[in-house]
Amino acid sequence: MPEIAWMLERGYLDAIDGELKSGKEATVYLGRTRAGLAAVKVYRDLTVRSFKNDARYRAGRYVGDARIEKAITKRTATGRRAQGRLWAGHEYAMLWRLHRAGVPVPEPLIGPDPSDIGDAGEVVLMRYVGDESGPAPRLADVPLAPDDAHRAFAEAVDALATMWRAGIVHGDYSTYNLLWWRNAVVVIDLPQAVETDHREARALLARDAASLCATFRTHGIEAAPERVLRSVFGDA
Ligand SMILES: Nc1ncnc2c1ncn2[C@@H]1O[C@H](COP(=O)(O)OP(=O)(O)OP(=O)(O)O)[C@@H](O)[C@H]1O
Ligand SMILES: [Mg+2]
């Protein structure tokens, strides 16, 4: 891949050490950099991909080129590549903003200069959460003692509130996109995130609060989405 070659050449990356996870929309590889381990998220070959209701998230987002727009809609090879670049670029932008706002997200390792992000193409390079023996588990996959469950939930609600104040709604918020590392929550997976002035922002936030509560039930947390929303809006 030209993007990986560019990262190696520019010294962003020293080596790729194999696959970590293959998801619905991307494949994540383990990378080595001079500054430590990296997660290399590659958006590609998304033949079956149709991002949960993608049009809803794309609404109002500016693509800026009618031909690319058409290729994306038709899902041609060019369109899929263009779509991958858009997702990666958007994920970088969200990671930079949230990292700077103090939300626990993996630190982005390329950017914030848009031209560097452009060169990174379909590849999001970010700090790896985990250690040599493996990546941090998702909160959905890890058993938690009651104390830890309460702390994790409180941190997840806090992160949702900080994101809202930073002007961002995650859009796919649940224990499936929260990692648990050294007794702390890390928020991942941001290509579908929207600005708080997006016309669906409040509806997406409400859905995020509901999925957060629903997925925390397995950890013994009984929480009402309305309360989560009140604490996000700061009137709890
Ligand atoms: N920075 C990271 N450090 C460690 N592991 C990571 C990192 N980023 C992603 N992962 C791992 O890769 C998986 C997929 O990442 P992510 O959720 O961003 O992509 P996805 O394509 O949406 O995957 P899915 O379809 O499973 O939700 C995560 O569940 C997590 O296990
Ligand atoms: Mg995910």
Side-chain angles (χ1 to χ4, degrees):
M1 284 193 87
E3 292 88 352
I4 299 288
W6 173 82
M7 287 178 194
L8 292 166
E9 199 178 296
R10 285 281 294 264
Y12 283 118
L13 197 59
D14 290 334
I16 299 248
D17 260 15
E19 191 178 308
L20 270 179
K21 292 272 159 74
S22 173
K24 289 184 296 291
E25 58 226 32
T27 305
V28 181
Y29 300 89
L30 178 63
R32 294 189 182 272
T33 78
R34 222 136 304 176
L37 297 174
V40 187
K41 184 173 178 181
V42 181
Y43 287 92
R44 66 178 229 214
D45 295 336
L46 313 168
T47 38
V48 288
R49 195 286 191 309
S50 63
F51 221 64
K52 325 112 205 175
N53 217 344
D54 188 45
R56 185 178 195 192
Y57 295 100
R58 270 221 324 271
R61 228 185 254 163
Y62 184 61
V63 174
D65 181 324
R67 267 178 322 176
I68 295 293
E69 186 86 68
K70 192 168 167 203
I72 289 174
T73 311
K74 290 184 139 181
R75 300 196 177 279
T76 63
T78 313
R80 287 202 306 273
R81 224 171 309 116
Q83 184 67 83
R85 299 177 67 88
L86 285 174
W87 280 322
H90 188 61
E91 184 153 42
Y92 273 117
M94 297 295 104
L95 285 172
W96 275 107
R97 268 171 62 184
L98 294 175
H99 178 65
R100 287 172 164 175
V103 178
V105 293
E107 182 191 353
L109 298 176
I110 290 180
D113 184 334
S115 105
D116 291 333
I117 290 176
D119 286 334
E122 302 152 81
V123 182
V124 178
L125 188 68
M126 63 188 136
R127 193 154 322 269
Y128 167 82
V129 186
D131 60 22
E132 292 284 348
S133 58
R138 304 182 304 180
L139 269 178
D141 299 327
V142 71
L144 293 178
D147 275 11
D148 285 342
H150 279 99
R151 204 146 31 82
F153 184 70
E155 283 180 27
V157 173
D158 251 21
L160 197 64
T162 314
M163 284 190 269
W164 178 259
R165 288 194 299 273
I168 294 168
V169 177
H170 186 288
D172 191 11
Y173 205 61
S174 77
T175 57
Y176 292 93
N177 282 324
L178 296 170
L179 304 181
W180 182 241
W181 184 240
R182 296 185 172 144
N183 289 311
V185 167
V186 180
V187 179
I188 59 163
D189 204 1
L190 291 146
Q192 72 290 315
V194 300
E195 307 281 332
T196 45
D197 64 3
H198 184 284
R199 60 182 158 87
E200 303 260 20
R202 285 198 175 239
L204 291 166
L205 179 70
R207 199 183 61 177
D208 278 355
S211 352
L212 185 69
C213 292
T215 55
F216 257 98
R217 239 170 254 143
T218 57
H219 294 301
I221 303 287
E222 288 296 332
E226 298 70 32
R227 273 200 73 176
V228 170
L229 287 174
R230 279 203 298 279
S231 90
V232 167
F233 296 137
D235 48 27

